[in-house]
Amino acid sequence: MAALTGRSPMKSPGAPALRREVERQFWREIAKGLLAEEAAAAVGVSPAAGCRWFRHGGGMPPMDLGSQSGRYLSFHEREEIAILKAQGIGVRETARRLGRDPSTVSRELRRNAATRGGRLDYRASVAQWKADLVAQRPKTAKLAANDRLRHYVQERLSGHVSRPDGTALGPEGTGWKGRNKPHRGDRQWVMAWSPEQIANRLKVDFPDDESMRISHEAIYQALFIEGRGALKRELVACLRTGRALRVPRARSKRKSWAHVTPEVLISERPAEADDRAVPGHWEGDLLIGLERSAIGTLVERTTRFTLLVHLPRQDGYGIVPRTKNGPPLAGYGAVTMKDALAATVGTLPGQLWRSLTWDRGKELSAHAQFTIETGVPVYFADPHSPWQRGTNENTNGLLRQYFPKGTDLSRWAAEDIEAVAATLNSRPRKSLGWKTPAEALNDHLLSIT
């Protein structure tokens, strides 16, 4: 069989692999900021294949993403060759139609034909698989070839923190489990130099030894890309972030607030809310405590009147194992939050509810349904702009006297948090001319009756 092609036998391709050009296009989509599943759908492959490419590459493309040189036959041209050959068209005519040299077509039919059954049978998918396989010329990584350099890099990544007498300090840690980032828990104390620090320090420690040079990008590739270099993937746990997959820079620009659409931005809020002249515009947020506990806070901008929203645990919390995309049992999932806020709105007259401004938390991603049910429009502050909800931020600071950080807020019943709200509402405020929020709200209600 090898004699038919004049080349050494190649391993069987099995099922034709996805073309390298498809994978290259996949990585171009990743560079745009798409998730692996989204990029896979964009290029027409299964989500499993996309996730596998992303995981094996450590989030880094293992190939050049530039367009394929016209010097090489494309998969489309190989399909044309296969069709024309099946039609009995000769090599020279095929080359003329493709705009290629006849020797290129002749060599392609000889080199990349399928050889099962003892005869040459040209199929585009097998030909592309063979061409991609031959095109791979893996270069020995510098860290794999230079033991001294590898030891230096590894020592500064994973070297132990120790006392002057050499005794290692710190916890053992839970070890790397193949996940992208470490979950809460002890991590091993190591030197944890960044690849950039290591690469630049080599020039200081070995000024005259050019063999002790490596770029920080090569170190990252050795850590992230499976099978690249001599560093074990487990050493990613020694990086400061512990991130096992590189996140494309464009992905950081993705909007993580898909529920915030242009029409609900704070810039669309009625102008009357800014000068506080008309009561009824509220600001809201969550107070977060231990064990995913929370209390909702609502503050009226004009009178500083405060309402606290009780968010009890849902049935099954602590019993049903936490699963990714599982039911939100902590008490402030989107639907639960929407229902709790709607119930709170019903405790005051409708004329006191003109708008609600929230931060960008996903707990209020069901805001559209909330607006339909209550008639209260919801607006969202700009990213990283707490001053746009300054009244609420100030009130949350006052509430921390009663609900300190680092405490479990789920232990308080609805009656307990109502008592705290009543306490704040009966406290005189300088901004109200030393009236209490309750008095200011009552004066407003009397003025409109």
Side-chain angles (χ1 to χ4, degrees):
M1 190 178 299
L4 290 172
T5 61
R7 305 179 65 194
S8 58
M10 301 177 69
K11 66 180 182 178
S12 170
L18 292 167
R19 299 190 304 277
R20 195 166 180 81
E21 182 54 36
V22 176
E23 185 176 355
R24 184 176 285 108
Q25 184 59 37
F26 167 83
W27 285 107
R28 293 192 190 110
E29 297 297 324
I30 289 292
K32 296 177 183 177
L34 270 62
L35 300 177
E37 295 87 347
E38 297 169 343
V43 300
V45 301
S46 69
C51 291
R52 182 172 64 250
W53 282 339
F54 192 80
R55 184 177 67 254
H56 288 179
M60 303 173 64
M63 62 187 71
D64 181 18
L65 298 185
S67 300
Q68 185 179 12
S69 171
R71 173 186 175 188
Y72 304 101
L73 290 172
S74 67
F75 180 69
H76 175 71
E77 289 176 310
R78 289 189 169 97
E79 286 182 320
E80 288 295 320
I81 292 174
I83 292 172
L84 294 175
K85 185 177 185 299
Q87 294 173 350
I89 305 298
V91 170
R92 290 186 177 278
E93 178 61 20
T94 299
R96 188 187 67 79
R97 295 187 185 185
L98 291 177
R100 292 282 185 174
D101 192 272
S103 63
T104 300
V105 178
S106 176
R107 187 167 51 246
E108 172 68 17
L109 290 170
R110 185 177 68 255
R111 285 182 174 180
N112 294 330
T115 56
R116 285 187 174 182
R119 62 187 181 86
L120 295 178
D121 184 16
Y122 189 83
R123 293 194 297 273
S125 59
V126 175
Q128 186 67 42
W129 174 83
K130 285 189 172 185
D132 288 343
L133 190 64
V134 172
Q136 295 176 11
R137 297 180 176 88
K139 181 180 178 181
T140 302
K142 199 170 186 178
L143 289 176
N146 191 330
D147 293 339
R148 184 180 175 210
L149 179 61
R150 182 177 67 254
H151 178 75
Y152 181 96
V153 172
Q154 196 162 295
E155 176 62 26
R156 273 125 191 102
L157 276 172
S158 59
H160 292 290
V161 175
S162 58
R163 294 193 179 100
D165 60 3
T167 304
L169 295 175
E172 294 185 3
T174 57
W176 183 63
K177 299 180 181 179
R179 295 172 181 158
N180 187 26
K181 294 184 74 173
H183 290 263
R184 293 183 180 181
D186 288 331
R187 293 179 64 186
Q188 189 177 12
W189 289 8
V190 294
M191 297 280 287
W193 285 26
S194 72
E196 186 177 15
Q197 289 170 333
I198 295 173
N200 286 280
R201 185 66 189 185
L202 279 165
K203 300 174 186 178
V204 177
D205 292 344
F206 304 96
D208 303 320
D209 190 351
E210 290 298 322
S211 67
M212 296 294 286
R213 297 287 186 273
I214 191 170
S215 67
H216 65 277
E217 182 66 16
I219 298 175
Y220 277 120
Q221 289 184 4
L223 289 171
F224 287 147
I225 300 179
E226 194 169 291
R228 177 77 61 87
L231 298 179
K232 296 180 179 179
R233 284 292 300 274
E234 289 79 0
L235 289 180
V236 295
C238 299
L239 296 175
R240 180 186 60 80
T241 62
R243 186 179 291 117
L245 299 172
R246 171 171 281 184
V247 178
R249 187 169 297 173
R251 189 177 294 181
S252 65
K253 300 177 182 178
R254 285 171 58 100
K255 292 183 178 180
S256 58
W257 309 286
H259 59 286
V260 181
T261 52
E263 63 271 13
V264 295
L265 294 176
I266 193 171
S267 58
E268 302 299 316
R269 189 176 65 177
E272 65 181 25
D274 296 332
D275 58 14
R276 303 176 188 267
V278 180
H281 298 283
W282 296 73
E283 298 175 3
D285 196 8
L286 290 181
L287 281 180
I288 302 295
L290 284 184
E291 301 297 329
R292 299 176 58 83
S293 57
I295 295 175
T297 64
L298 295 170
V299 187
E300 203 281 311
R301 284 175 56 81
T302 301
T303 64
R304 278 64 169 181
F305 190 83
T306 301
L307 293 173
L308 298 184
V309 184
H310 186 228
L311 300 171
R313 306 284 196 202
Q314 300 296 294
D315 294 339
Y317 182 85
I319 300 174
V320 178
R322 287 182 60 187
T323 56
K324 184 177 181 179
N325 297 326
L329 304 178
Y332 51 96
V335 176
T336 305
M337 191 73 206
K338 181 261 299 181
D339 293 340
L341 282 178
T344 304
V345 167
T347 62
L348 290 177
Q351 60 266 33
L352 286 178
W353 291 97
R354 300 176 185 272
S355 73
L356 172 61
T357 303
W358 205 266
D359 73 349
R360 297 211 164 193
K362 290 188 176 181
E363 65 274 1
L364 208 57
S365 56
H367 62 89
Q369 187 62 32
F370 169 80
T371 301
I372 292 173
E373 294 179 5
T374 63
V376 180
V378 177
Y379 301 96
F380 291 93
D382 295 328
H384 317 298
S385 304
W387 58 86
Q388 294 179 342
R389 302 169 20 266
T391 304
N392 183 239
E393 291 289 333
N394 176 265
T395 302
N396 286 350
L398 299 178
L399 287 168
R400 283 299 185 185
Q401 177 182 353
Y402 305 96
F403 309 112
K405 293 182 179 180
T407 61
D408 186 357
L409 304 183
S410 65
R411 54 186 169 150
W412 304 115
E415 294 78 9
D416 300 326
I417 66 173
E418 287 175 5
V420 172
T423 300
L424 286 189
N425 291 330
S426 61
R427 181 184 296 179
R429 304 290 184 90
K430 182 178 181 179
S431 59
L432 300 176
W434 303 113
K435 288 184 178 181
T436 68
E439 292 170 342
L441 183 69
N442 188 59
D443 290 345
H444 171 70
L445 291 174
L446 292 175
S447 67
I448 61 177
T449 57

